Amino acid sequence: MEVKLPRVAVLVCATAFGQQAPTPLPEGVYRPGSGVTQPSVIRKTDVEFSEEARIAKVSGTVLMSVIVGEDGKVRDARVDRSVGLGVDEKAIEAVRTWQFEPGIKDGMPVAVAVNVEVNFRIQGESRWFLMRAVFNPPEGTTRPFLIQAPYPPDTITSADIKNGPHGSVAISFDVEPDGIPANLHIEKSSNTALESEVIRIVRGWQFRPGMKDGQPVSVRCTMEFAEGKAR
């Protein structure tokens, strides 16, 4: 039987906005405002999905803090809000290659700290998608790698497109040494009617387990799912 793969679309929000973090900036680095103009993207590299993000049907937003230098090049990029499953690394890899029109102060280019949002959207035939994944491997342990993530074969309806996500569920579980999720626990939910379906979804997923000293070990994971049309 022929399997129709979901169509993947990566939408990049190329406009940077003023960084809100209260941490002090390095000497010679400014924030937009008070006579400092905001850098603007003039050339960017497309951001790719990681293999795991495609499998998991990720639709989420990576928020990054970067410094745009006087030459318009990105430096000191870091992730402030993570999506996981290799998506953060892909976002950093691409944004580091972007070229900006640098910020200006007193008629001269200066280094400016800004935030950049990179929005990942995947379109498929399921009404479910994954917003975020966080692993907590013990020290010296590699994180599990997602290799199989079946979803219910639901068709997106016109109501889904119009109304957007109907609810979200955060679930935690252990990825056991055999790569199977166990000890599932609902952490929070905006719609209790969705909880049992999320549990069924996760029970069907398969991972390559985390490893420590050459041996597979159990690793705790938390994932946040949303039901509806990703926007």
Side-chain angles (χ1 to χ4, degrees):
M1 179 178 65
E2 182 181 1
V3 177
K4 183 179 180 181
L5 297 176
R7 182 167 62 90
V8 178
V10 181
L11 306 179
V12 178
C13 178
T15 302
F17 51 90
Q19 181 172 318
Q20 301 299 317
T23 54
L25 294 175
E27 184 177 357
V29 179
Y30 301 87
R31 291 190 174 96
S34 301
V36 179
T37 64
Q38 178 175 288
S40 58
V41 178
I42 57 177
R43 186 175 67 250
K44 67 179 186 291
T45 304
D46 291 338
V47 184
E48 298 180 356
F49 264 73
S50 66
E51 179 184 351
E52 290 177 284
R54 290 177 183 272
I55 293 171
K57 299 179 175 60
V58 165
S59 288
T61 299
V62 178
L63 178 62
M64 302 174 58
S65 295
V66 305
I67 294 176
V68 178
E70 298 90 334
D71 57 0
K73 296 184 183 299
V74 171
R75 69 188 200 222
D76 299 331
R78 74 171 191 269
V79 172
D80 292 331
R81 186 172 68 224
S82 172
V83 170
L85 295 182
V87 167
D88 307 333
E89 292 81 359
K90 289 291 186 181
I92 289 178
E93 179 183 330
V95 170
R96 283 188 182 276
T97 68
W98 290 7
Q99 181 68 41
F100 286 75
E101 187 71 34
I104 302 295
K105 176 179 170 61
D106 299 327
M108 298 294 293
V110 293
V112 179
V114 293
N115 287 348
V116 176
E117 280 189 338
V118 182
N119 300 309
F120 291 81
R121 298 290 181 265
I122 189 165
Q123 298 173 342
E125 295 181 353
S126 175
R127 59 190 172 87
W128 285 99
F129 58 93
L130 180 66
M131 299 173 65
R132 190 165 182 256
V134 178
F135 292 90
N136 295 291
E139 185 176 356
T141 303
T142 62
R143 75 163 178 84
F145 188 93
L146 182 65
I147 57 177
Q148 184 176 330
Y151 282 89
D154 304 304
T155 301
I156 294 294
T157 67
S158 59
D160 292 325
I161 296 172
K162 179 180 179 181
N163 299 325
H166 303 156
S168 62
V169 177
I171 185 171
S172 63
F173 54 93
D174 294 320
V175 179
E176 295 289 79
D178 59 2
I180 300 298
N183 304 318
L184 282 70
H185 175 72
I186 299 297
E187 296 292 339
K188 62 179 180 180
S189 171
S190 65
N191 187 342
T192 57
L194 300 175
E195 295 177 5
S196 60
E197 190 165 0
V198 168
I199 290 173
R200 286 196 299 271
I201 289 171
V202 172
R203 287 193 187 279
W205 286 23
Q206 176 72 51
F207 295 81
R208 189 161 61 236
M211 302 291 290
K212 182 174 183 178
D213 300 328
Q215 298 295 320
V217 296
S218 177
V219 174
R220 195 69 178 171
C221 175
T222 300
M223 291 187 171
E224 186 173 357
F225 292 84
E227 186 264 355
K229 174 66 175 177
R231 290 191 285 194

